Amino acid sequence: MLKRYRKHTIVFFVLSLLLAGKSLFAQDPTFSQFNLNQYYYNPAFTGDHGGYQFQASYRSLWPNVPGKVIPGALSNYYGVFDAYIQQGKSYAAGAGIFAMQNVEGEGMLKTSSVGLSYAQHLFRRKPQGGRLSRIQMSLGFKAYLNFISIDWDRLVFSDQISIDRGITGTSAVGLSGIGRKTTADLDVGLLVKGNFRGKDKWYNELGLGMAHVLSPSLSMTEVVDANSRLPRKYHGSYRTSISLREHRYYVGTTLLFENQQQFYAFNTGLDLYINPKGGRGLIPIWVAVMHRVALGSQAGNINAFIGSIKYKWLMGKGSRTIGFAGFTADLPYTGLGLKSHGAYELTIGVVLPRKGNDYFSRCPFSTY
């Protein structure tokens, strides 16, 4: 009997999102490592790499929760293709298309998203003598549709549970079959990059963004009120890196702040970029350690240490095409998160740079 209760542990999380009272609020899926998922956080990164990029990410949350199958329940899938666009010397932009699926519970609640993004890139003082632009500013947006589906027949409601007999009978809620809902939404973002004195030795980057500008209703029932709407999400990011030993090593930091309704999270990280051959070419190795602390009702379940590694390589002799792969382990140390065994992410991608458009491509924390 206890085993049957454990099998449906995740169900109550799903119900809290769908049938919540005034004290419960829906929140976004998230990724542990900002440096491997910049596009997800801020649409101003669209085309920022100066070429053509395909990237895919997979995140598995809470592998120790009963009923969890890898891959499967409590997982996120994300894919994006974006391109840098340039016409003449005065117009530079990025355009992209992306798709995402968030699987909640044991797969009975799924949200799939597909959309387009655009970013306008503005430069101050174009690159000269092989150096990169001193200042780059980008403004971007993402417009997308969300397709939500739920299998009511796979859910177990509280009025179906008996202490003596386990799961019995049918629920008075009266919902069955597959429920579906489509919503539209919009994200916006700003990105400013600085190459100090144009010497390619000290980079700074500031990003600001807002998600869910349209704040769509997520209710799968007939009830639509302020509490059923997805709250807007705000984030701010800052990254910096300093060159050491003639571009052989770079050290830097990553800061990320997120706020959605009553949830606040602050990530601080230390980054090390390694270029064994030195010079201003490809920087193949990046390792990072990050700490996440949260405020709010679930803060004790979210605090964690995050370790990441990324490797980049040229795909063939004389090739300009770059492949990259990254892995992140999210290791919580308090509350329920400690028992859940955290989360794990895998990111892979390919970048084909456009000839002559390397404005910020050599920056250590750029896409490549």
Side-chain angles (χ1 to χ4, degrees), residues 10 29 47 62 82 87 98-99 141 175 206 215 222 227 239 241 255 268 277 286 297 301 321 330 337 354 357:
I10 306 174
W62 296 355
D82 65 321
Q87 292 185 356
F98 72 95
F141 73 88
L175 297 170
L206 176 66
S215 191
E222 297 299 324
N227 293 318
R239 294 190 292 180
S241 69
L255 307 178
T268 57
K277 296 182 179 180
W286 165 73
S297 60
N301 299 324
T321 303
D330 185 324
R354 282 186 51 161
N357 291 327

Side-chain angles (χ1 to χ4, degrees), residues 15 19 152 155-160 170-176 221:
L15 293 179
L19 307 172
W152 294 109
L155 296 180
V156 178
F157 296 86
S158 58
D159 61 354
Q160 294 176 266
T170 59
S171 173
V173 174
L175 297 170
S176 62
T221 65

